[in-house]
Amino acid sequence: EAQVTQNPRYLITVTGKKLTVTCSQNMNHEYMSWYRQDPGLGLRQIYYSMNVEVTDKGDVPEGYKVSRKEKRNFPLILESPSPNQTSLYFCASSLGSGSFNEQYFGPGTRLTVT
Amino acid sequence: GENVEQHPSTLSVQEGDSAVIKCTYSDSASNYFPWYKQELGKGPQLIIDIRSNVGEKKDQRIAVTLNKTAKHFSLHITETQPEDSAVYFCAAGGTALIFGKGTTLSVSS
């Protein structure tokens, strides 16, 4: 089944404790992206990757890191999480540039930072 | 940068009525306009999209219209059903894909 998977689905952590949210897709998509969803703010892009070893900042990259060492994986790293990073996070992938093609979203990761 | 405004933020209709959600965008270079539906506890899923060389597109009960001159596009759902209840996002694709803030649609039976 074609899908985007994220782990963990739920995470509660404390301020400053490094964490990684994994994202994997099995559709051989070139483009992958991370979004955060907050009430009243919709979906905002954090980082995106056009292909392996190519990443770029989205609208809200502060406090996040990403890497794209393999085509199928695109982990999101929070080196020192803070309470304002409490949010619902979605990973997405698409065949070509995400601006012009259908994006397939993962199920989401709900992160709480205390 | 690109900005996408979406209205209304909430919409309540009776089963069988029509629902209309409207979006405006700012970047005239945008030429891809998808609509996503997000059900509770799930990620957004594409339901229909339209490209700038087309003015209207239909898929069963769902239609999207695009007015490039006015920079606005709309989602129309006819004969709404309770399973249409969800959050709907519009987006505009140019140099990046920018999402609206979402519309929570509630269909009561």
Side-chain angles (χ1 to χ4, degrees), chain A residues 61-82:
Chain A
E62 294 77 22
Y64 305 94
K65 284 176 57 178
V66 293
S67 69
R68 188 91 182 273
K69 293 183 170 52
E70 306 164 282
K71 197 171 189 178
R72 62 183 293 130
N73 296 324
F74 191 45
L76 179 69
I77 302 156
L78 284 72
E79 294 270 3
S80 182
S82 62

Side-chain angles (χ1 to χ4, degrees), chain A residues 9 31 35 37 40-45 48 59 88 90 97-108, chain B residues 29 31-32 36 38 41-46 49 51 87 89 92-102:
Chain A
R9 294 289 314 278
Y31 182 96
Y35 295 87
Q37 183 177 13
L41 297 178
L43 291 160
R44 294 181 294 168
Q45 190 178 53
Y48 65 94
D59 295 322
L88 179 59
F90 288 101
S97 165
S99 302
F100 303 104
N101 290 281
E102 176 179 2
Q103 293 204 33
Y104 294 81
F105 285 82
Chain B
N31 58 11
Y32 175 61
Y36 285 81
Q38 185 181 23
K42 296 183 179 180
Q45 187 171 14
L46 181 74
D49 57 12
R51 297 185 189 270
V87 179
F89 292 99
T95 52
L97 188 64
I98 305 298
F99 286 83
K101 290 180 169 50

Side-chain angles (χ1 to χ4, degrees), chain B residues 37-99:
Chain B
K37 176 184 181 181
Q38 185 181 23
E39 296 177 339
L40 200 59
K42 296 183 179 180
Q45 187 171 14
L46 181 74
I47 54 171
I48 195 167
D49 57 12
I50 192 168
R51 297 185 189 270
S52 61
N53 58 345
V54 176
E56 183 175 359
K57 185 176 179 180
K58 282 186 179 179
D59 183 4
Q60 300 183 342
R61 295 186 298 109
I62 294 172
V64 57
T65 59
L66 171 64
N67 183 328
K68 281 220 77 178
T69 304
K71 294 185 191 169
H72 67 71
F73 56 113
S74 301
L75 177 72
H76 305 252
I77 306 174
T78 59
E79 300 172 24
T80 53
Q81 301 167 4
E83 51 264 39
D84 294 329
S85 297
V87 179
Y88 291 81
F89 292 99
C90 64
T95 52
L97 188 64
I98 305 298
F99 286 83

Side-chain angles (χ1 to χ4, degrees), chain B residues 7-36:
Chain B
H7 298 281
S9 56
T10 59
L11 180 59
S12 296
V13 300
Q14 288 286 118
E15 183 177 1
D17 288 349
S18 294
V20 180
I21 303 170
K22 298 182 179 181
C23 289
T24 60
Y25 62 98
S26 60
D27 186 356
S28 56
S30 295
N31 58 11
Y32 175 61
F33 306 93
W35 286 88
Y36 285 81

